[in-house]
Amino acid sequence: MSTSLEVADIFRSAGPAYRARHPGHLSLALLKVMSAVEHCRTAALGGHVEACTDCGHWRVAYNSCRNRHCPRCQGAAARIWLAEREADLLPVGYFHVVFTLPAEVADIALQNKAAVYGLLFQAASETMTTIAADPKHLGARIGITAVLHTWGSAMTHHPHIHMIVPGGGLSPDGSRWVSSRPAFLLPVRVLGKLFRRLFLTRLMALHEAGRLAFFGSLAHLADRRAFLRHLAPVRKKNWVVYAKPPFAEPQAVLAYLSRYTHRVAISNGRLLRFDEAGVTFHYKNYRCNGADRQQVITLAADEFIRRFLLHVLPKGFHRIRHYGLLAGATRKAHLQRARELLGVEPSPVDATPTVEPDDTRPPCPCCGGRMLVIETFERWRQPRAPPHGTSATGTTAP
């Protein structure tokens, strides 16, 4: 049976030629991501041999690269992260809020990822906490989990922040829980205006401090007057802040978060073909509605790789951040107080830290038995041949 197409297959086939055509133009970080994706779960990273304790079936398992940009390595990381976040859930409605940068600013962000993406987090979170604390709106301290995405569905550069926010917060003195309205958290028009003002003011400060770099078609923006002219139309635009109605129940938040927290620019499941015409995959055209929204696009292999690499984050940059009641060392105390005011028992997950089970290996595909590691091998090595009397499938021969 043929295996499904993966991003790694495209990188292994077209990656060497792409690097040869762009000598000196790929940073070390980009080269490391390409290498990680290409070598993930291959002999290049080493691995181990497992054998079933019941029927003797054996199989080879290669190590994962664990790079956060690799589509194959995000499932396990997402499961661990979500299990840890389960203790943070409160028995209230949760809202999904999205802050998006206009295209003129997104171009600047692409050449200044750490500075501008960091500013996006800062401005969006401060906008939410400021408006929520205003007595004219909610008048409470809220909690925020924020996730950065830098892509549109067709892998174009489209930086935006997804926020999951409980429908309410602690009063300023911490004496009561202030609930939001059932289907309304904060006014998006007010959020958009403050977000625009905070972001542009601080972006100008970064420019004046010499912390922004400009190359190619944006090189002229190093001049202050040219920079101001570039931002002039943006100051008049409505900056998009989108808020969805609350989830049906807190548990639905975890299922929803699993689709966002550890997502990469494209998942293997969206790939359709890779041939002489290029890479064909599914994408959503948000300018269309209904069945027409789901469309198919084909990109040349080089363009596919280029778009994928647009979304490599700077080393050490945190793409998931927590604010307000969920921030830092005060998170547990704030959550405990919130549960007291809401009249619910502490989550049992709070009492014991999440521990990964000792045996996370899939069971034997032949009999369902337990698989044990019988041999490990180093990078670029292959395991030894199976023991004498073992079939080609790895199952002990009669």
Side-chain angles (χ1 to χ4, degrees):
M1 184 175 71
S2 61
T3 58
S4 57
L5 178 63
E6 296 187 352
V7 172
D9 299 323
I10 300 165
F11 272 55
R12 281 193 285 267
S13 176
Y18 183 85
R19 290 188 288 270
R21 281 191 286 270
H22 300 85
H25 294 281
L26 297 175
S27 67
L28 180 60
L30 297 182
L31 293 173
K32 285 184 176 180
V33 169
M34 293 187 71
S35 176
V37 172
E38 290 173 24
H39 294 142
C40 186
R41 299 186 191 180
T42 68
L45 300 183
H48 61 268
V49 181
E50 302 169 356
C52 178
T53 57
D54 294 332
C55 69
H57 173 83
W58 64 274
R59 67 183 172 207
V60 176
Y62 295 113
N63 292 333
S64 300
C65 67
R66 298 190 178 184
N67 189 287
R68 61 176 171 169
H69 301 96
C70 175
R72 297 191 71 176
C73 292
Q74 302 312 302
R79 287 191 294 272
I80 295 171
W81 186 88
L82 290 172
E84 293 171 347
R85 297 282 76 76
E86 189 174 1
D88 297 345
L89 288 179
L90 297 171
V92 298
Y94 278 75
F95 291 82
H96 177 201
V97 184
V98 183
F99 287 81
T100 303
L101 290 180
E104 296 88 343
V105 179
D107 292 339
I108 297 171
L110 186 58
Q111 297 187 0
N112 299 272
K113 290 183 177 181
V116 181
Y117 291 166
L119 178 54
L120 174 56
F121 268 114
Q122 184 185 41
S125 61
E126 187 173 331
T127 296
M128 287 293 293
T129 54
T130 299
I131 300 301
D134 189 336
K136 292 188 298 183
H137 299 292
L138 188 61
R141 291 180 292 158
I142 60 173
I144 300 170
T145 295
V147 183
L148 172 69
H149 283 186
T150 62
W151 54 84
S153 187
M155 297 172 61
T156 52
H157 187 241
H158 177 63
H160 54 285
I161 294 280
H162 292 271
M163 289 184 172
I164 302 297
V165 187
L170 294 177
S171 61
D173 60 0
S175 63
R176 59 192 179 91
W177 177 263
V178 181
S179 295
S180 67
R181 283 185 267 171
F184 180 83
L185 181 62
L186 297 169
V188 292
R189 288 181 180 270
V190 175
L191 291 173
K193 288 180 180 179
L194 180 57
F195 175 51
R196 178 181 61 190
R197 179 168 63 81
L198 290 176
F199 188 95
L200 291 178
T201 299
R202 291 170 187 178
L203 185 65
M204 278 302 308
L206 288 176
H207 188 278
E208 291 172 1
R211 293 180 56 192
L212 298 179
F214 301 99
F215 309 97
S217 62
L218 299 184
H220 66 286
L221 297 184
D223 178 73
R224 186 176 185 276
R225 280 191 263 186
F227 190 69
L228 288 171
R229 285 195 299 270
H230 181 79
L231 294 182
V234 180
R235 296 181 186 277
K236 301 175 184 177
K237 281 187 176 181
N238 291 325
W239 285 37
V240 177
V241 178
Y242 176 71
K244 286 187 177 181
F247 297 93
E249 56 184 11
Q251 284 69 26
V253 178
L254 289 181
Y256 191 81
L257 273 176
S258 67
R259 293 159 45 193
Y260 281 93
T261 52
H262 291 74
R263 185 182 288 183
V264 296
I266 187 169
S267 64
N268 291 326
R270 289 172 55 198
L271 299 175
L272 296 175
R273 294 186 304 278
F274 174 42
D275 50 29
E276 300 80 9
V279 184
T280 304
F281 59 92
H282 288 293
Y283 82 104
K284 290 182 181 179
N285 185 345
Y286 288 97
R287 296 181 180 179
C288 301
N289 295 317
D292 292 336
R293 175 165 288 188
Q294 294 287 345
Q295 298 186 10
V296 172
I297 187 174
T298 299
L299 300 176
D302 271 21
E303 176 62 11
F304 178 89
I305 294 174
R306 186 193 73 83
R307 291 194 188 187
F308 187 94
L309 296 179
L310 288 178
H311 311 292
V312 173
L313 295 175
K315 183 178 180 181
F317 188 91
H318 295 278
R319 66 180 178 186
I320 306 173
R321 305 187 185 188
H322 307 279
Y323 299 94
L325 302 182
L326 300 179
T330 60
R331 175 182 60 87
K332 288 187 177 180
H334 285 146
L335 290 172
Q336 181 179 352
R337 180 57 177 160
R339 291 192 181 98
E340 291 173 358
L341 295 172
L342 289 166
V344 295
E345 295 292 326
S347 170
V349 185
D350 270 346
T352 56
T354 302
V355 178
E356 279 289 279
D358 292 334
D359 189 2
T360 58
R361 289 179 290 276
C364 175
C366 296
C367 68
R370 186 184 179 194
M371 302 292 287
L372 293 179
V373 175
I374 61 173
E375 179 190 351
T376 60
F377 51 94
E378 301 298 325
R379 291 169 176 261
W380 301 102
R381 299 284 183 89
Q382 291 286 354
R384 292 175 295 177
H388 179 69
T390 302
S391 70
T393 62
T395 304
T396 303

